[in-house]
Structures are given as C-alpha cells and as structure tokens.
C-alpha cells in the first residue's frame, strides 16, 4: 500500500479504513465484534495504517473495539478520532459542544477507550456555531503541547472556518464527504486546503455503499439503518441515482474492476494529499477496496467519471450541520 503525507508531515496509508459501520448507523453494525476485529487485523496485514473512528460511533463502542483490536500495534498505526457531538459538559447528552472544557473532557474518554496515551489525529466532528473556532483550536493546541494529541483535524468545516482555525494552529487534515456523487469540495474546499497545506480525507468515498452498486432498494437495509432517512436513498431519488452507478460500472467493465474500486481509484487520482477512508466490517470488501490502490485509470476514463450524472437529493436530511 502506498503512503501519502497529510498536513504537518503526518504519513498515512493512502487508503485508510473507516470503522464507523462496525459499530453504528449501518445494517449489521454492532452485531459482530469478532468479525470486525478480523477485518481490522487483515487491514494491518494489507498495509492499511490509518484507522478512523469517533466517540459518537456507538457511542463509544467503536473506539473501544479499535482499542482492543489494535492493542500491541500502537506504533504501527495512525489513529484518528473525533469529538464535539457529545456534550460531556451536560451529562453526556448528544449535541454540539466545541467549548474548551468539552475538548478536555472528551479527549480523556477517547484516550481511555482507545487504550493509548496519545491520539494521532483529533478532529472536531462538527463545528459548534455557539463557540468561536479560535477557542476550540486554542484548547486543541493545548492538547498538542501536552502530548495527548499529535495533530488537529476538522470535519465538515466551511472555508472561512478553516482559515480562522488554521490561523490559530496548523490543521493537519480536513475530513469531509467526497466521492463521485458528492463533489462539492472541488469548488472551494480543495483549493483552500491545498493553499494552507492541509491534507484531505474523503469520508463515505463509496457513497455509503451506493457507488458499489450493491444497494438497489432501501428494503435491503435494516429499519435502523441511517441510509433509510438519507434523501439520496429515498424512493424515486434512489432510482434516479442508479444511473450514476451504471456510468461507473461502464468504466469498471473496461478496466476489469468493480464499481467500488473505480470510485476509489478516481478519488486517489485527485491528488497525493488525499486519503479516502472506505468503511467496511467485512474482510472480502476490505480486500476488494485495498486492491484499488493498484488501479490506475486513463485520462479518458477519468474524464468519463468526471462527467457522471449529478445526484438527486441532498447528502443529509438536515444540511444545516455541515459546511459551517
Ligand atoms: N466525519 C464524518 O462526519 C463522517 C461521516 C460518515 C462517515 N465517516 C467516516 O468515513 C468512513 C467511511 O464512510 P462510510 O462508512 O459512511 O461510507 P462508505 O465507505 O462510502 O461505504 C460504506 C458502506 O459500503 C459497504 N461497502 C464497503 N466496501 C464495499 C464493497 N467493496 N462492496 C460492496 N459494499 C461495500 C459497507 O458495507 P459493510 O458495512 O457491510 O461492510 C458499508 O455499508 C466511516 O467508516 C467513518 O469512519 C465520517
């Protein structure tokens, strides 16, 4: 597996592993920790060193799972986790909290659950409009000084917020949704992070599984699956969006790969400062996804992918919490 460097010299495998679905939000999550652990260990064997979690996945159980699975391998991995969507200042209620006090409370819990004394990359998961980002960054910079975290990241921050945050302390990575059906970052965000020397971590790079072609109806998904309430997966929208998969499939047939591999190879072709984190709990999907590292696409194939149809439907039911 090739490696890339995010901002501030943080080296990661250029494909990471998104661990969220092992414990939360998707069909089958939280039901097979042994299987998820096997997947995590196989990822290490395949050269994946970049593991993505958050305190809110579970909540908490995903960090615990990762902590158990990576025991004894701490020096071999880059652990990224996130805070800011659980209010430890208010009885651990769900809700945004970017206050310095919450930053300090959150990190202690994550360190404990992950079984480590430092976090490689600590992201603010969602921006809190009631707390100036300068205050949150000040607290995070303090954690860097104390050695509790090594790098600072932001997730779904808007351009102005990124600039303000980076003026307080170098931001190492921005994690935002980016894939063949979520291309908003190309307009302002990608040029900005490049200007500021910030790495980019595309989340949901497989379109939450949709771009692999395996989801043709929400009836395939558990009642509690997050995607049942996602506008892009709803009724007629999903049917309209299937044409995107068909266009990706066309390229996949040309190169003898799967649609998911092509979706990842397209992302990898966007730059050597981009590290997508496809999520899976299954070894067979992991192996398929990791093989995209070796897949290169011609300029014609990349152009065909650049031209796939725009999706129908927002990427969240409530778009007010992203890009701010
Ligand atoms: N910062 C944020 O706000 C944010 C938001 C969402 C996600 N994330 C992070 O990004 C990571 C990845 O995003 P994601 O999990 O939402 O979406 P994703 O990586 O686009 O897709 C994951 C889904 O695709 C399925 N899948 C994976 N590989 C496949 C393959 N080769 N063939 C068929 N299906 C495949 C998975 O199935 P199985 O579950 O059955 O393996 C899962 O349902 C997450 O794990 C999380 O760490 C961050």
């Amino acid at each position: 597996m090739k490696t890339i460097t995010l901002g501030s010299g943080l080296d990661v495998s250029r494909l990471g592993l998104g661990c969220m679905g092992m414990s939360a939000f998707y069909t089958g999550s939280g039901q097979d920790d042994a299987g998820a652990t096997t997947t995590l260990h196989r990822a290490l064997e395949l050269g994946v060193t970049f593991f993505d979690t958050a305190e809110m996945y579970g909540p908490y159980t995903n960090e615990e799972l990762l902590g158990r699975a990576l025991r004894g391998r701490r020096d071999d991995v880059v652990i990224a986790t996130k805070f800011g969507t659980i209010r430890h200042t208010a009885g651990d209620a769900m809700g945004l909290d970017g206050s310095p006090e919450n930053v300090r409370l959150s990190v202690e819990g994550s360190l404990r659950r992950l079984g480590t004394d430092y976090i490689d990359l600590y992201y603010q998961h969602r921006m809190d409009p009631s707390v100036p980002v300068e205050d949150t960054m000040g607290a995070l910079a303090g954690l860097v000084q104390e050695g509790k975290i090594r790098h600072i990241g932001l997730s779904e921050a808007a351009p102005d917020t990124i600039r303000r945050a980076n003026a307080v302390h170098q931001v190492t990575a921005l994690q935002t949704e980016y894939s063949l059906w979520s291309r908003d970052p190309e307009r302002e965000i990608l040029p900005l992070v490049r200007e500021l020397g910030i790495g980019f971590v595309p989340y949901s790079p497989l379109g939450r599984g949709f771009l692999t072609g395996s989801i043709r109806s929400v009836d395939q998904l558990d009642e509690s699956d997050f995607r049942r309430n996602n506008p892009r997966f709803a009724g007629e929208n999903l049917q309209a969006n299937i044409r995107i998969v068909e266009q990706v499939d066309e390229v996949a047939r040309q190169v003898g790969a799967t649609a998911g591999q092509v979706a990842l190879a397209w992302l990898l072709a966007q730059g050597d400062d981009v590290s997508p984190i496809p999520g899976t709990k299954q070894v067979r999907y992991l192996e398929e996804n990791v093989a995209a590292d070796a897949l290169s696409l011609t300029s014609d194939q990349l152009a065909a992918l650049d031209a796939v149809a725009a999706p129908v439907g927002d990427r969240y039911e409530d778009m007010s919490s992203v890009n701010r």
Side-chain angles (χ1 to χ4, degrees):
M1 168 77 66
K2 298 182 192 77
T3 59
I4 62 138
T5 306
L6 299 171
S8 337
L10 179 62
D11 293 331
V12 294
S13 54
R14 70 171 187 158
L15 282 169
L17 177 60
C19 302
M20 178 185 84
M22 296 173 177
S23 310
F25 298 118
Y26 294 157
T27 299
S29 62
Q31 290 170 22
D32 183 11
D33 278 2
T37 302
T38 303
T39 303
L40 288 162
H41 290 164
R42 182 72 182 128
L44 283 167
E45 284 171 6
L46 294 171
V48 175
T49 58
F50 188 27
F51 294 88
D52 191 81
T53 181
E55 64 170 1
M56 75 162 294
Y57 300 160
Y60 310 126
T61 51
N62 195 237
E63 286 187 333
E64 289 165 353
L65 172 73
L66 208 57
R68 284 192 302 273
L70 299 180
R71 197 169 294 152
R73 301 297 302 269
R74 185 66 188 92
D75 294 343
D76 306 329
V77 295
V78 172
I79 297 178
T81 190
K82 316 182 194 79
F83 73 95
T85 58
I86 301 180
R87 302 174 64 210
H88 301 291
T89 52
D92 298 343
M94 285 294 168
L96 298 182
D97 192 344
S99 67
E101 188 188 355
N102 196 51
V103 170
R104 286 189 288 270
L105 291 169
S106 303
V107 77
E108 296 304 331
S110 288
L111 288 169
R112 191 180 61 250
R113 288 184 292 275
L114 289 163
T116 182
D117 53 8
Y118 69 94
I119 290 162
D120 297 281
L121 176 56
Y122 200 39
Y123 293 101
Q124 184 171 7
H125 206 154
R126 289 289 181 273
M127 300 303 116
D128 179 353
S130 69
V131 177
V133 72
E134 288 81 359
D135 294 0
T136 312
M137 286 297 289
L140 289 167
L143 296 183
V144 173
Q145 281 201 329
E146 290 168 41
K148 291 183 175 173
I149 68 173
R150 297 216 165 145
H151 297 269
I152 299 172
L154 303 174
S155 176
E156 291 285 3
D160 180 55
T161 313
I162 297 168
R163 266 192 203 284
R164 286 169 48 205
N166 200 61
V168 177
H169 188 284
Q170 177 68 44
V171 175
T172 292
L174 178 74
Q175 179 174 138
T176 284
E177 184 167 355
Y178 184 37
S179 70
L180 275 170
W181 79 343
S182 294
R183 298 187 55 184
D184 302 349
E186 291 174 1
R187 276 198 306 277
E188 267 190 276
I189 296 276
L190 276 170
L192 176 64
V193 295
R194 285 178 172 149
E195 175 196 326
L196 298 177
I198 300 171
F200 190 80
V201 177
Y203 78 72
S204 301
L206 297 168
R208 301 185 183 272
F210 185 77
L211 295 169
T212 68
S214 61
I215 302 172
R216 298 282 165 161
S217 157
V218 288
D219 295 340
Q220 292 169 244
L221 308 174
D222 286 353
E223 284 300 324
S224 61
D225 193 302
F226 161 90
R227 292 166 289 197
R228 278 186 172 264
N229 295 314
N230 181 299
R232 290 188 180 173
F233 288 83
E236 289 176 6
N237 290 357
L238 183 133
Q239 291 315 316
N241 287 330
I242 282 174
R243 73 206 150 127
I244 300 174
V245 179
E246 286 165 357
Q247 289 168 307
V248 180
D249 249 337
E250 179 68 37
V251 175
R253 272 194 296 275
Q254 287 171 26
V255 294
T258 64
Q261 288 172 327
V262 166
L264 294 174
W266 175 86
L267 271 175
L268 292 173
Q270 303 309 309
D272 56 10
D273 50 359
V274 172
S275 176
I277 46 170
T280 185
K281 43 191 173 308
Q282 307 190 47
V283 168
R284 67 189 168 118
Y285 287 169
L286 169 80
E287 290 175 343
E288 180 185 321
N289 298 343
V290 165
D293 179 45
L295 182 64
S296 53
L297 302 169
T298 65
S299 52
D300 283 354
Q301 289 157 351
L302 289 169
L305 293 166
D306 281 335
V308 300
V312 180
D314 281 338
R315 57 194 180 90
Y316 281 98
E317 196 177 12
D318 174 5
M319 289 290 286
S320 67
S321 69
V322 292
N323 193 35
R324 76 173 167 197

